[in-house]
Amino acid sequence: QVQLVESGGGLVQPGGSLRLSCAASGFTFSRYAMNWYRQAPGKERELVAGITSVGGRTNYADSVKGRFTISRDNAKNLVYLQMNSLKPEDTAVYYCYAARPSTWERNYWGQGTQVTVSS
């Protein structure tokens, strides 16, 4: 059974930090590129950050560059999103996403974790 379980969300003041974690199971984690998406109320889901299967390359949305860092630990089947200098506009549900390495495999989504940035 495939699972992606996010954790680490919560309420934080502007300028604060949070670290999200996503624990993967039920598939060969090290073969999948991993991504973090977010969806704010009334808005479309957007890509926040991505990391290749072995972690050699990362990419970020312009809105989070220099503030967020994605990383992964293939030995522990974990992917992280370190979020610093948080802004109210970062408020959203954050989702972990496993991108299939081949067309005959599936993509997977986590259930999401709420991040609220407010004073």
Side-chain angles (χ1 to χ4, degrees), residues 87-104:
K87 305 175 181 180
E89 52 262 43
D90 295 318
T91 295
V93 178
Y94 284 71
Y95 296 91
C96 181
Y97 175 75
R100 61 183 182 177
S102 62
T103 55
W104 60 84

Side-chain angles (χ1 to χ4, degrees), residues 2 12 14-15 18 28 36 40 44 48-49 51 53 71 84 88 90 104 107:
V2 171
V12 64
L18 283 175
T28 307
W36 286 96
E44 293 188 354
V48 175
I51 188 167
S53 57
S71 61
N84 299 327
D90 295 318
W104 60 84
N107 300 314

Side-chain angles (χ1 to χ4, degrees), residues 37-40 43-47 93 95-97 109-110:
Y37 282 77
R38 68 185 181 188
Q39 188 166 22
K43 294 188 177 181
E44 293 188 354
R45 193 171 294 190
E46 63 172 352
L47 177 64
V93 178
Y95 296 91
C96 181
Y97 175 75
W109 286 97

Side-chain angles (χ1 to χ4, degrees), residues 26-118:
F27 63 101
T28 307
F29 178 75
S30 61
R31 296 184 63 243
Y32 283 69
M34 297 299 298
N35 300 275
W36 286 96
Y37 282 77
R38 68 185 181 188
Q39 188 166 22
K43 294 188 177 181
E44 293 188 354
R45 193 171 294 190
E46 63 172 352
L47 177 64
V48 175
I51 188 167
T52 53
S53 57
V54 294
R57 287 180 296 169
T58 58
N59 62 281
Y60 298 93
D62 287 344
S63 59
V64 307
K65 280 181 182 176
R67 301 188 297 121
F68 289 11
T69 303
I70 188 171
S71 61
R72 66 189 295 162
D73 184 338
N74 284 351
K76 296 181 179 179
N77 285 9
L78 289 167
V79 61
Y80 305 100
L81 186 67
Q82 177 66 44
M83 305 186 295
N84 299 327
S85 302
L86 283 161
K87 305 175 181 180
E89 52 262 43
D90 295 318
T91 295
V93 178
Y94 284 71
Y95 296 91
C96 181
Y97 175 75
R100 61 183 182 177
S102 62
T103 55
W104 60 84
E105 295 170 280
R106 293 182 58 183
N107 300 314
Y108 302 111
W109 286 97
Q111 83 290 348
T113 187
Q114 176 70 46
V115 172
T116 302
V117 184
S118 175

